């Protein structure tokens, strides 16, 4: 699948810009704060209605603008399709696929993207939130109902946390407390089943990639395991069984929840345990080892999308290559064939030449001519004549 053309209007620092992408590698080059990540964010937004940087649509609308709009022509499921997103201040965003209104989560049925940023290189060392986020962003695109489930869970979690704070002064809130706990257990059971299945597939895909990556110099064994509420010993059990197990944990921790004023049972504490050669990577792996393992996991994510849909998702590499040594850069670049890739890098980096891809220069939220004044082929910015047209 690929994005062929994108028009951004009032989106972040893009007033009105049209971009045409090459089917394989596109290098998005420019100085700091010109709009490179914003462009990747726009493509990511089209792949499931979610940003990887914010939960709030209002932040995506250009300063001093009332609305933001993205229009894309894509090639996916062996046909041309069109996607459109309209965000207006104070309103829920509106989404169209092939000119028919859709729910925003449904966008991922047409377009899927995997993002890889320098933060992901710290995936293993960071706290569990980073690993939950990895799972959640991917599953949101793979399973259309997941995003809604996640936001329902977040809402009830926030409500219960607030209630726990007030509870000590107002014990009448007990019934509400129990109702929230029950909803959290039900939603957790659903989330756990999705996440456990994703984590299993992630481990299966990451392990051979990591073996290949480390072959030659002390081949390493990478394992990924899903960790959730301790009473849930079988994540493949039915939703009802998992729900029962969560209730068990909740009952055992009821007093502790009240005493600590925080939610102690549920999917919000999930994590991925990552081992290298049978030892927890988070505690024992070197910095280089954890980076390599993170790379294997992110590349595995792309393979899962391929298995699911028969097409590679769009791969968005935000500044990640400049963070890697040459050997790791080569490994990534050799592995990204077969699909479309958008790579951001700073103007002075040599990456553009090494990828052999099309280079798009971004300056101040618009496509710019090449720095040496040469025509910037294949691209056009609003108000400028398109090269070759
Ligand atoms: P870097 O190389 O530093 O990562 P970048 O080219 O990736 O830079 P972006 O993150 O795309 O930069 O941001 C470009 C500019 O867009 C920044 O100056 C940022 O402040 C600005 N910006 C962010 N949100 C909005 C918004 N809602 N409206 C207008 N401008 C915005
Ligand atoms: Mg950036």
């Amino acid at each position: 699948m690929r994005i062929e053309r994108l028009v951004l209007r009032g989106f972040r620092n893009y007033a009105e810009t049209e971009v045409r992408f090459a089917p394989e590698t596109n290098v998005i080059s420019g100085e700091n704060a010109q709009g490179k990540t914003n462009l990747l964010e726009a493509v990511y937004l089209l792949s499931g209605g979610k940003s990887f940087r914010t939960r709030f649509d209002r932040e995506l609308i250009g300063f001093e603008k009332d609305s933001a709009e993205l229009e894309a022509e894509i090639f996916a499921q062996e046909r041309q399709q069109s996607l459109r997103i309209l965000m207006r201040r104070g309103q829920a965003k509106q989404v169209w696929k092939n000119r028919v209104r859709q729910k925003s989560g449904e966008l991922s049925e047409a377009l899927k993207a995997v993002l890889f940023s320098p933060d992901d290189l710290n995936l293993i060392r960071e706290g569990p939130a980073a690993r939950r986020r990895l799972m959640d962003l991917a599953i949101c695109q793979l399973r259309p109902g997941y995003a809604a489930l996640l936001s329902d869970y977040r809402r009830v979690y926030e409500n219960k946390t607030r209630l726990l704070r007030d509870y000590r002064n107002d014990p009448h809130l007990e019934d509400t407390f129990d109702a929230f706990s029950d909803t959290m257990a039900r939603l957790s059971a659903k989330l756990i089943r999705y996440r456990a299945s994703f984590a299993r597939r992630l481990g299966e895909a990451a392990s051979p990639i990591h073996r290949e990556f480390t072959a030659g110099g002390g081949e390493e064994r990478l394992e990924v395991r899903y960790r959730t509420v301790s009473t849930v010993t079988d994540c493949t059990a039915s939703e009802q069984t998992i729900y029962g197990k969560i209730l068990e944990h909740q009952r055992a921790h009821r007093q502790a929840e009240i005493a600590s004023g925080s939610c102690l049972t549920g999917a919000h504490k999930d994590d991925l345990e990552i081992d290298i050669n049978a030892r927890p990577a988070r505690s024992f792996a070197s910095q280089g080892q954890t980076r390599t393992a993170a790379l294997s996991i992110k590349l595995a994510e792309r393979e899962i999308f391929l298995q699911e849909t028969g097409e590679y998702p769009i791969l968005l590499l935000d500044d990640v290559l400049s963070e890697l040594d040459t050997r790791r850069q080569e490994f990534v670049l050799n592995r990204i064939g077969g699909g479309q890739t958008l790579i951001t890098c700073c103007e002075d980096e040599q990456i553009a030449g090494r990828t052999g891809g099309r280079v798009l220069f971004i300056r101040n939220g618009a496509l710019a001519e090449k720095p040496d004044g040469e025509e910037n082929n294949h691209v056009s910015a609003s108000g400028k004549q398109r090269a070759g047209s």
Side-chain angles (χ1 to χ4, degrees):
M1 78 183 42
R2 59 181 185 262
I3 181 161
E4 298 185 331
R5 176 176 168 271
L6 172 64
V7 179
L8 310 98
R9 284 190 203 97
F11 181 85
R12 295 243 191 223
N13 71 330
Y14 287 84
E16 178 159 357
T17 300
E18 178 192 358
V19 186
R20 286 174 187 269
F21 296 100
E24 289 167 352
T25 307
N26 295 267
V27 178
I28 296 154
S29 173
E31 293 182 358
N32 292 131
Q34 300 304 308
K36 303 182 299 295
T37 302
N38 292 348
L39 186 59
L40 296 197
E41 189 181 29
V43 174
Y44 195 87
L45 197 72
L46 287 159
S47 70
K50 271 183 173 310
S51 160
F52 53 80
R53 293 206 285 198
T54 178
R55 289 206 276 138
F56 306 108
D57 290 347
R58 61 175 182 271
E59 292 181 15
L60 304 171
I61 301 174
F63 305 145
E64 289 146 34
K65 303 266 182 197
D66 295 324
S67 65
E69 189 180 9
L70 299 174
E71 264 176 30
E73 281 163 28
I74 65 167
F75 187 84
Q77 296 91 42
E78 295 173 2
R79 62 184 196 277
Q80 298 292 135
Q81 304 198 52
S82 68
L83 302 176
R84 179 168 170 241
I85 299 181
L86 179 63
M87 289 164 281
R88 290 206 184 95
R89 289 201 189 276
Q91 292 181 24
K93 67 168 140 338
Q94 294 174 285
V95 163
W96 290 262
K97 184 173 82 184
N98 302 324
R99 295 184 185 76
V100 178
R101 274 290 292 278
Q102 307 271 307
K103 291 194 188 121
S104 76
E106 286 170 345
L107 281 173
S108 61
E109 286 168 24
L111 193 70
K112 293 181 171 60
V114 166
L115 170 82
F116 196 170
S117 76
D119 285 348
D120 294 315
L121 295 171
N122 302 319
L123 192 68
I124 288 159
R125 285 275 165 101
E126 279 184 10
R131 291 177 291 277
R132 281 197 296 275
R133 194 161 168 272
L134 170 99
M135 292 193 273
D136 289 343
L137 285 175
I139 308 170
C140 276
Q141 291 191 60
L142 294 170
R143 298 284 174 263
Y146 189 80
L149 186 61
L150 207 56
S151 67
D152 286 350
Y153 187 82
R154 189 176 293 128
R155 201 164 20 209
V156 61
Y157 168 79
E158 282 166 5
N159 284 336
K160 186 175 163 185
T161 306
R162 213 169 304 125
L163 191 101
L164 276 164
R165 241 179 286 133
D166 301 339
Y167 185 73
R168 267 169 284 184
N169 306 327
D170 188 359
H172 298 299
L173 293 172
E174 182 151 1
D175 287 348
T176 326
F177 174 81
D178 289 337
F180 280 143
S181 294
D182 188 72
T183 312
M184 263 179 89
R186 282 190 191 286
L187 296 174
S188 288
K190 289 183 201 286
L191 288 173
I192 286 170
R193 280 170 52 91
Y194 279 118
R195 286 177 179 171
S197 150
F198 177 78
R200 181 182 49 75
R201 296 178 67 181
L202 191 68
E204 282 167 6
S207 175
I209 295 175
H210 194 74
R211 208 177 318 120
E212 188 192 327
F213 205 162
T214 53
E219 193 177 285
E220 291 174 2
R221 196 153 38 86
L222 178 74
E223 283 164 296
V224 177
R225 266 186 318 274
Y226 175 60
R227 265 250 162 266
T228 186
V229 180
S230 61
T231 47
V232 181
T233 45
D234 177 11
C235 295
T236 61
S238 71
E239 204 176 295
Q240 193 61 22
T241 307
I242 295 177
Y243 164 68
K245 293 283 181 186
I246 297 169
L247 289 182
E248 216 175 274
H249 190 275
Q250 251 173 10
R251 279 193 289 270
H253 291 78
R254 197 172 195 277
Q255 288 314 316
E257 279 195 330
I258 293 165
S260 67
S262 62
C263 302
L264 300 177
T265 301
H268 59 283
K269 293 171 77 78
D270 284 1
D271 197 0
L272 288 175
E273 266 179 9
I274 299 163
D275 286 1
I276 296 175
N277 295 338
R279 291 210 165 80
R282 200 173 170 200
S283 318
F284 296 110
S286 74
Q287 206 164 21
Q289 279 178 310
T290 58
R291 286 195 141 204
T292 306
L295 280 171
S296 303
I297 286 170
K298 285 306 289 190
L299 292 170
E301 200 185 324
R302 185 169 170 262
E303 296 301 322
I304 294 175
F305 279 66
L306 173 68
Q307 289 164 13
E308 276 283 316
T309 64
E311 292 180 282
Y312 271 118
I314 301 177
L315 181 63
L316 307 172
L317 300 180
D318 194 14
D319 273 336
V320 82
L321 291 181
S322 56
E323 289 281 319
L324 299 176
D325 58 28
T326 318
R327 191 180 70 86
R328 290 191 178 94
Q329 281 185 0
E330 287 304 325
F331 186 78
V332 173
L333 290 174
N334 287 333
R335 269 224 152 240
I336 60 175
Q340 190 183 39
T341 309
L342 275 50
I343 304 175
T344 68
C345 66
C346 274
E347 231 160 46
D348 52 350
E349 282 162 4
Q350 300 302 308
I351 289 162
R354 291 190 31 226
T355 62
R358 176 180 293 179
V359 184
L360 310 176
F361 292 97
I362 303 286
R363 194 172 303 138
N364 198 14
L367 286 155
E369 300 297 308
K370 287 186 179 180
D372 58 9
E374 206 183 308
E375 282 275 299
N376 194 4
N377 271 323
H378 324 289
V379 298
S380 75
S382 168
K384 279 184 195 165
Q385 205 187 351
R386 192 184 318 148
S389 65

